[in-house]
Amino acid sequence: MGRPSRKDEILQAALACFSEHGVDATTIEMIRDRSGASIGSLYHHFGNKERIIAALYLEGVGGYARLLEAGFATADSAEACIKLLVACYIDWVSANPDWARFILHSRGRVEASELGGQLRDANRLHHGRIEEALRPYREAGAFREMPRDCFVSVVIGPAQDFTRNWLAGRTRTTLADCRELFMQVAWDAVRSR
């Protein structure tokens, strides 16, 4: 893997500052100092702190989406696809806990920002890819009947709830220890009987 770009270095520095000091308390100067970038470079790549926040959010959710897309390329059944949704979510959060905390607490801020449209577009694209991967199995009757807008919440909801508690330090069980359980719970919740 090559050297991270200046933009990536700035985003990682911002994440470290947000994790250490909080989003509101972090200044652009703190990000500059942590990244070693010049103010000109920060403004060239992002323009302001709100754009850094949005870019960091979009890159984080994009990481999960890329992990999921790679998995869909080899998933060969309805069960594998559903379990993949949960496995990728848990794996990404386990590997990126600070980023996951940031995402959980920053969605509303990004949605309300000038880059909220980019987030909505990214979400539409992501959910469209999930729908496309699941379509053949849905058409074959592999899933129980339920409103479409409930489906992903039913699949990922239990894992997402536990993950929030894990990220907040309120669980004794690790994500890795309950990964298989949540994958099976998701499949059991949506498979046709």
Side-chain angles (χ1 to χ4, degrees), residues 2-188:
R3 184 179 182 277
S5 70
R6 173 53 82 190
K7 188 175 181 179
D8 291 335
E9 290 171 346
I10 293 168
L11 289 177
Q12 289 304 311
L15 178 60
C17 290
F18 296 154
S19 296
E20 187 176 324
H21 305 286
V23 174
D24 291 330
T26 296
T27 65
I28 203 86
E29 290 76 21
M30 293 163 85
I31 297 169
R32 179 202 63 212
D33 291 345
R34 189 76 163 249
S35 68
S38 67
I39 285 290
S41 182
L42 280 166
Y43 284 103
H44 167 75
H45 288 296
F46 301 103
N48 59 39
K49 181 176 143 181
E50 291 304 313
R51 286 186 176 181
I52 293 172
I53 291 167
L56 185 61
Y57 187 99
L58 289 166
E59 183 59 31
V61 296
Y64 166 69
R66 287 186 295 276
L67 192 61
L68 191 58
E69 284 184 42
F72 277 143
T74 60
D76 60 356
S77 68
E79 181 177 358
C81 287
I82 296 303
K83 288 183 173 181
L84 180 72
L85 286 164
V86 175
C88 288
Y89 180 78
I90 289 175
D91 293 349
W92 189 87
V93 171
S94 294
N96 302 283
D98 288 339
W99 217 334
R101 277 186 208 91
F102 169 78
I103 287 171
L104 286 172
H105 298 292
S106 300
R107 182 181 180 123
R109 186 174 189 149
V110 175
E111 285 176 336
S113 77
E114 65 182 282
L115 298 179
Q118 284 184 15
L119 174 57
R120 288 184 289 281
D121 291 345
N123 283 338
R124 272 192 295 276
L125 182 62
H126 174 66
H127 289 288
R129 288 180 176 150
I130 292 171
E131 179 60 31
E132 186 63 30
L134 297 180
R135 179 175 290 121
Y137 305 114
R138 186 181 311 281
E139 290 172 355
F143 305 127
R144 67 189 292 180
E145 288 296 320
M146 70 178 71
R148 289 278 175 102
D149 54 357
C150 293
F151 191 85
V152 172
S153 294
V154 169
V155 170
I156 205 77
Q160 192 172 54
D161 183 64
F162 186 85
T163 297
R164 289 175 190 260
N165 287 314
W166 179 79
L167 288 168
R170 294 188 295 260
T171 67
R172 291 184 192 173
T173 307
T174 67
L175 287 176
D177 289 341
C178 61
R179 182 178 184 265
E180 296 298 320
L181 170 66
F182 285 120
M183 290 166 60
Q184 189 62 48
V185 165
W187 174 239
D188 290 343

